[in-house]
Amino acid sequence: MTLVLAVVVLTLVLPWGAAAATLRLAALLPPREACVALTGAAALLAGGTVSALIGLFHVPFLASLERIPLSRSAAEWPATVPVAAVAGALLAVQAVLLFRRWYEHRSLLARGWASTGDAVPDGDLLVVPGSAPQAFALPGLRKKGGRIVVTTGMLGVLGPAEREVLLGHERAHLAGRHHLLSLTAYLSAAVHPALRPLHRALDFHLERWADETAAASVGNRRLAASAIARAALAGASAEEADGRRGPLLSVGTGPVPRRVEALLRPAPVRPRARGARAALAGLVTAVTVSALLGLILAYGLHEYVELAAEDVRARRDGRATTSM
């Protein structure tokens, strides 16, 4: 069982290295590809962590299925019960955190829709009366489709061309279903602390994705940069004044100066640099190793239980032969 324990430790430690490789890779990729890499890595690494904990938690139960007494399992591997208890406790904590984060997400959606009660609809746009400059993409709830929510205060801050940038930005969030990517990384971060930076990085790259889409729609990167900066500054002032953060992904999310600086540069392209290939190779290797470690863990547990069961049966047969 020493090998199995070593595999579990590696499975739980590996996400730290894989997360670092993913962050490096995302920094070298265009926003859309960076979002895919961050979301996929977060989900796969979270799944590997949960699988390892489930495998450890099930060792005593697997032994009981083979009619191996718990005392026998503890004699063969003294850490059976303590390790299974720790794994079960970690799984329980993860379940509570996942439920809590899911509930917070649903509550955030509900509050967002509740704030649009007196909004004036205009296609996919909901204009809410209010002096506080706010704008955000509101995903669908139940049978409601997604909408762009903008206050009259935000519309008053921006000029006509800048409004087009703002609406293009928020429409990109809805069209790309960015809230699902963000939610995936948000829930994954509850499974392993190494995955928390991936969620923060993903929110930034999602905003960059929407920025680039908006800039392409108006055909003027400098105008897009000016509009994003003006809207984000106004929205930040409103949030600071009422002490609340705008719901879900909004134009003011993430490090705005970095986003504006990126818009003032040429549009990003897929890199061909050696660093990008090295980061991609590191990420693929880490995720592949994580999956292989999970398979080794499952195989090791199965072999352990089978050997222990054969040993128990051999002892029983030996006693039966002696008694005869």
Side-chain angles (χ1 to χ4, degrees), residues 233-277:
L233 181 61
S237 301
E239 290 172 12
E240 184 178 354
D242 63 15
R244 294 179 299 176
R245 185 175 185 269
L248 303 175
L249 293 170
S250 65
V251 71
T253 304
V256 177
R258 287 176 56 195
R259 292 167 50 197
V260 172
E261 181 183 0
L263 285 171
L264 293 176
R265 297 195 299 265
V269 296
R270 289 183 177 85
R272 298 180 180 179
R274 185 177 303 174
R277 293 195 294 270

Side-chain angles (χ1 to χ4, degrees), residues 29-280:
L29 291 174
R32 180 175 180 176
E33 287 76 5
C35 292
V36 173
L38 289 165
T39 306
L44 289 172
L45 293 171
T49 300
V50 172
S51 298
L53 292 175
I54 291 176
L56 285 178
F57 180 67
H58 274 74
V59 171
F61 299 100
L62 291 173
S64 66
L65 291 177
E66 293 288 347
R67 299 182 181 179
I68 302 174
L70 184 59
S71 58
R72 178 63 180 170
S73 299
E76 292 291 335
W77 186 36
T80 298
V81 175
V83 169
V86 171
L90 290 176
L91 287 170
V93 171
Q94 289 174 347
V96 171
L97 291 175
L98 285 171
F99 175 79
R100 180 179 177 181
R101 292 195 172 201
W102 175 257
Y103 178 78
E104 289 175 350
H105 172 74
R106 300 302 294 179
S107 299
L108 193 61
L109 274 179
R111 292 199 301 272
W113 279 105
S115 69
T116 65
D118 55 352
V120 178
D122 182 11
D124 63 348
L125 179 64
L126 295 177
V127 180
V128 180
S131 58
Q134 291 185 343
F136 52 89
L138 188 58
L141 182 64
R142 299 186 181 92
K143 295 183 179 180
K144 298 179 180 179
R147 293 290 186 272
I148 300 168
V149 180
V150 182
T151 62
T152 53
M154 178 62 81
L155 294 178
V157 169
L158 304 177
E162 293 173 328
R163 294 176 189 172
E164 289 300 317
V165 173
L166 175 65
L167 297 181
H169 176 97
E170 303 302 345
R171 286 193 177 104
H173 281 319
L174 293 178
R177 303 186 70 80
H178 292 176
H179 66 286
L180 295 181
L181 302 180
S182 181
L183 177 61
T184 299
Y186 183 57
L187 295 178
S188 298
V191 173
H192 199 296
L195 306 182
R196 293 170 187 169
L198 298 185
H199 176 247
R200 293 193 293 269
L202 176 62
D203 278 353
F204 167 72
H205 286 286
L206 286 173
E207 293 302 325
R208 285 282 300 115
W209 183 353
D211 290 345
E212 292 296 334
T213 302
S217 67
V218 298
N220 188 330
R221 297 181 65 81
R222 186 168 295 276
L223 170 63
S226 173
I228 295 299
R230 187 185 297 274
L233 181 61
S237 301
E239 290 172 12
E240 184 178 354
D242 63 15
R244 294 179 299 176
R245 185 175 185 269
L248 303 175
L249 293 170
S250 65
V251 71
T253 304
V256 177
R258 287 176 56 195
R259 292 167 50 197
V260 172
E261 181 183 0
L263 285 171
L264 293 176
R265 297 195 299 265
V269 296
R270 289 183 177 85
R272 298 180 180 179
R274 185 177 303 174
R277 293 195 294 270
L280 178 59

